[in-house]
């Protein structure tokens, strides 16, 4: 499983999401209380972006129709999406942020 460099830790401010592309896959990266999480950026309901969703604790809520996902597992908590989203391990190496992408 390759680790992909997605930027500096300072690129991911607390309490909001940032869209990145890692290994050709569009991700939303969230800083929730200092912990970084990476999930698929497109909501499975109508494919609106999740990176501008509302972060509440360990969840992100899609602004469009309100589907809510856990940022650590991608699990759907509630809403019309019908399924969860991919979630990817994130680690820090000094000041760099790396995300694990599937082979
Ligand atoms: S597009 Fe996200 S809930 Fe509809």
């Amino acid at each position: 499983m390759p680790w992909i460099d997605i930027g500096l830790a300072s690129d991911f401010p607390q309490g909001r999401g940032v869209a990145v592309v890692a290994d050709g896959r569009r991700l939303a990266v969230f800083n929730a209380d200092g912990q970084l999480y990476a999930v698929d950026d497109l909501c499975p309901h109508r494919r609106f972006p999740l990176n501008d969703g509302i972060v509440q604790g360990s969840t992100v809520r899609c602004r469009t129709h309100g589907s809510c996902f856990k940022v650590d597992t991608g699990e759907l908590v509630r809403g019309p999406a019908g399924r969860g989203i991919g979630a990817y391990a994130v680690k820090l190496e000094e000041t760099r942020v790396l995300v694990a992408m599937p082979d």
Side-chain angles (χ1 to χ4, degrees):
M1 181 176 300
W3 289 90
I4 308 295
D5 187 322
I6 57 170
L8 288 165
S10 57
D11 294 335
F12 303 98
Q14 188 155 329
R16 54 176 283 247
V18 175
V20 302
V21 176
D23 204 24
R25 187 181 303 241
R26 189 169 149 175
L27 305 179
V29 179
F30 298 101
N31 179 339
D33 295 327
Q35 183 72 42
L36 293 174
Y37 301 95
V39 296
D40 288 327
D41 189 32
L42 297 180
C43 179
H45 181 227
R46 294 282 188 260
R47 300 187 63 78
F48 280 84
L50 289 168
N51 69 76
D52 67 347
I54 300 161
V55 179
Q56 295 171 313
S58 62
T59 65
V60 59
R61 181 162 54 88
C62 181
R63 285 186 185 273
T64 314
H65 311 104
S67 287
C68 188
F69 306 89
K70 295 181 80 169
V71 292
D72 55 347
T73 64
E75 177 186 346
L76 176 66
V77 177
R78 63 181 172 276
R83 66 175 176 86
I85 52 179
Y88 308 92
V90 177
K91 70 177 181 181
L92 274 174
E93 281 190 358
E94 298 183 4
T95 59
R96 306 298 304 184
V97 179
L98 293 90
V99 63
M101 300 308 298
D103 289 327

